[in-house]
Amino acid sequence: MSALTLLTRGESIAFLILALVALGSTYKMVTSRLITHAALFMALSFTAVAGVFLLLEAEFVAAIQILIYTGAITTMILFAIMLSGLAEIRKDRETRGPLWMKSDPLVLVVGGIFAAFMCYIYAAANLPEAITPESLPTVKAIGSALFTKYVIPFEVASILLLIAMVGAIILTAKEAE
C-alpha cells in the first residue's frame, strides 16, 4: 500500500468523522429542547465544517469559519438569549416542547430530501478544473493587507464588538436584579 493511498484513506476517514459530527450536531441543534444547548450544538457544527475546510487545504477559510461563525455568530446568538427574558424562553419552550418531539421523523425526512437534492446538483454540475495555487492570494498576503491597509476598519470592528458585549452583559445584569 503506497503512502498516497494511506493518506487518501486517512483523509476519507477524517472527512467521514467530521461529516458525522456536523450532521449529528446539526440534528441535535434543531431538536434540542434548550436554546442554549442548540447554540452550543451550532458551534460544534460550525467547527466540524471548519475541519472539512482544513481537509480541503483551505486554511484561511477554515480560520474565518472559526472566527466568524463559531466565534461571532454563536456569541451573538448567546447574547440574544441573554437579552431575551428568561420567562419568555421558558414560556416558548413549554408551548413548543411536544411539537418538536413529534416532528423528529419529519426533520430526518426533510434533511434526507435536501441531501439527495444536493447530491443530484453536485453530480449534474460542470465543475471547473482545479485552480492553480499561484493564482490565489496567500494567507500571508491577506494577513498583511488586514494589518496594514485595513487596520483601522479591523480595529473599529473589534471595538464595536467589545462595546456590544459589555452592553449585553450590563443589560443582562440589570434584568437579573
Side-chain angles (χ1 to χ4, degrees), residues 60 64 67 139-155:
F60 183 73
I64 294 300
L67 288 174
V139 175
K140 183 178 179 180
I142 294 170
S144 176
L146 183 64
F147 290 112
T148 56
K149 185 177 180 182
Y150 299 107
V151 70
I152 300 298
F154 181 74
E155 291 299 325

Side-chain angles (χ1 to χ4, degrees), residues 83-157:
L83 288 174
S84 62
L86 190 58
E88 294 173 18
I89 292 173
R90 285 186 181 147
K91 185 177 74 172
D92 184 47
R93 186 179 74 196
E94 290 170 2
T95 59
R96 74 176 170 94
L99 175 66
W100 280 105
M101 297 306 286
K102 294 176 186 172
S103 66
D104 279 350
L106 179 65
V107 170
L108 289 174
V109 169
V110 171
I113 291 171
F114 178 73
F117 179 69
M118 292 306 293
C119 288
Y120 169 75
I121 288 176
Y122 179 73
N126 289 328
L127 298 175
E129 293 296 321
I131 299 173
T132 59
E134 295 82 27
S135 65
L136 297 174
T138 64
V139 175
K140 183 178 179 180
I142 294 170
S144 176
L146 183 64
F147 290 112
T148 56
K149 185 177 180 182
Y150 299 107
V151 70
I152 300 298
F154 181 74
E155 291 299 325
V156 168

Side-chain angles (χ1 to χ4, degrees), residues 6 14 47 56-57 68 75-76 92 106 112 114 123 149 160 168:
L6 183 62
T47 305
L56 293 172
E57 297 179 4
I68 303 240
T75 303
M76 181 187 68
D92 184 47
L106 179 65
F114 178 73
K149 185 177 180 182
L160 287 174

